[in-house]
Amino acid sequence: SIREDYTLSWRDVQPYLWVQVTHVCRYWRDVAIDCAVLWNWVVPASVACTQTILSRSRCAPLIINLNTQLLGRTRVLSNPKAVDIVYQQWARIAEARIDVPHPALRNISAPILRSLDVRSWCSDENALDAEPLFHSSCAPPLRYIRWSGGLQWHSLAPLLGPKVEELRVTPTFSSITVETWCSVLQNMPQLRVLSLDGAVYCDPLRGLSVDSSTVKQRVALPCLQKLLLSANTSILGEACLLARLS
């Protein structure tokens, strides 16, 4: 599952090593090729491989893993032409892990997308998020969101719907205030896991001297089971947010 921590795994280095089972005998080959769900994990390393995987997965929901960076160790990088082929399949994509936004990743429709992990290693604020990722009128029914590495708030905000169960956000170029988070979180009643690592801003001039009437307007998260707040870069903002949650 792409919900696992973002560490190097065998699927990053040799994503289709298991295909060797199709070489054992004709019977094993026929069984493997006929099982569409075995072919729904897509790492677009080459055009030919991607076309074969998409064909054999038939109508099964897809899980895509797009690697565009070498993070210290060797891993399979995505082929740009193969990525273009994958991005024509958004109607079938159920889970997506993407290292950096692709030019085609703008104003798309992904009706069955339930899990999205988007990370960018770009340090140029102007190079990212010129437009939202998805049509605002048809945001996908996401249940899991992981968002980090300098991506803009205006692309994340439309995705934060009532069906989200797990949300993990690390610092972005945008300053996301306590008031903004409270406004969003109050519309996420099914949230079970919330992790905000340096993603909450609070005006240092106001500090914790919040109006008592404001504090009483708490945000109810009845299903919340796990809360992770960083105490490193934005302790003041996260302390203010914590005071508002119930």
Side-chain angles (χ1 to χ4, degrees):
S1 171
I2 67 171
R3 301 185 186 194
E4 297 172 355
D5 202 11
Y6 203 74
T7 54
L8 194 71
S9 70
W10 66 270
R11 273 188 157 172
D12 292 303
V13 180
Q14 295 178 304
Y16 299 121
L17 184 63
W18 67 269
V19 173
Q20 293 178 8
V21 303
T22 65
H23 302 158
V24 174
C25 65
R26 183 174 297 277
Y27 176 73
W28 280 37
R29 178 178 177 81
D30 291 342
V31 170
I33 291 178
D34 191 53
C35 184
V37 294
L38 285 178
W39 305 91
N40 71 338
W41 178 279
V42 184
V43 179
S46 72
V47 171
C49 176
T50 300
Q51 290 174 333
T52 299
I53 294 298
L54 291 175
S55 174
R56 292 179 179 177
S57 65
R58 297 195 289 277
C59 296
L62 300 176
I63 300 173
I64 66 169
N65 186 356
L66 305 183
N67 301 316
T68 57
Q69 300 289 321
L70 288 172
L71 306 181
R73 294 172 61 184
T74 302
R75 68 193 310 182
V76 176
L77 297 184
S78 299
N79 179 290
K81 293 183 178 179
V83 170
D84 290 338
I85 295 174
V86 172
Y87 277 158
Q88 296 173 18
Q89 306 292 324
W90 274 107
R92 293 180 54 198
I93 296 176
E95 300 185 32
R97 187 172 78 180
I98 306 169
D99 272 1
V100 67
H102 182 274
L105 196 59
R106 294 291 183 271
N107 286 318
I108 61 179
S109 176
I112 68 170
L113 187 66
R114 65 178 185 270
S115 182
L116 179 65
D117 185 337
V118 181
R119 304 184 178 206
S120 172
W121 311 103
C122 178
S123 59
D124 182 3
E125 176 178 0
N126 297 320
L128 300 173
D129 289 350
E131 300 176 36
L133 299 184
F134 300 92
H135 290 295
S136 58
S137 60
C138 55
L142 290 170
R143 296 184 180 276
Y144 172 86
I145 301 173
R146 188 164 187 169
W147 195 269
S148 61
L151 296 163
Q152 298 283 14
W153 171 252
H154 73 263
S155 282
L156 171 61
L159 305 179
L160 302 179
K163 294 185 178 181
V164 176
E165 298 178 4
E166 186 168 339
L167 175 63
R168 299 177 183 272
V169 182
T170 58
T172 68
F173 284 127
S174 305
S175 294
I176 310 173
T177 64
V178 174
E179 290 74 18
T180 299
W181 275 119
C182 288
S183 176
V184 169
L185 291 174
Q186 68 182 358
N187 296 317
M188 302 172 68
Q190 297 185 40
L191 194 64
R192 296 184 298 102
V193 177
L194 175 62
S195 175
L196 303 177
D197 184 0
V200 185
Y201 172 78
C202 181
D203 186 346
L205 297 179
R206 293 185 61 190
L208 291 172
S209 59
V210 184
D211 186 284
S212 59
S213 62
T214 301
V215 174
K216 291 180 180 178
Q217 298 173 359
R218 296 185 181 276
V219 177
L221 297 174
C223 297
L224 193 65
Q225 300 174 4
K226 188 174 183 180
L227 176 64
L228 301 173
L229 298 176
S230 168
N232 297 321
T233 58
S234 62
I235 185 171
L236 182 59
E238 287 163 349
C240 290
L241 178 63
L242 187 60
R244 297 281 296 275
L245 300 180
S246 66

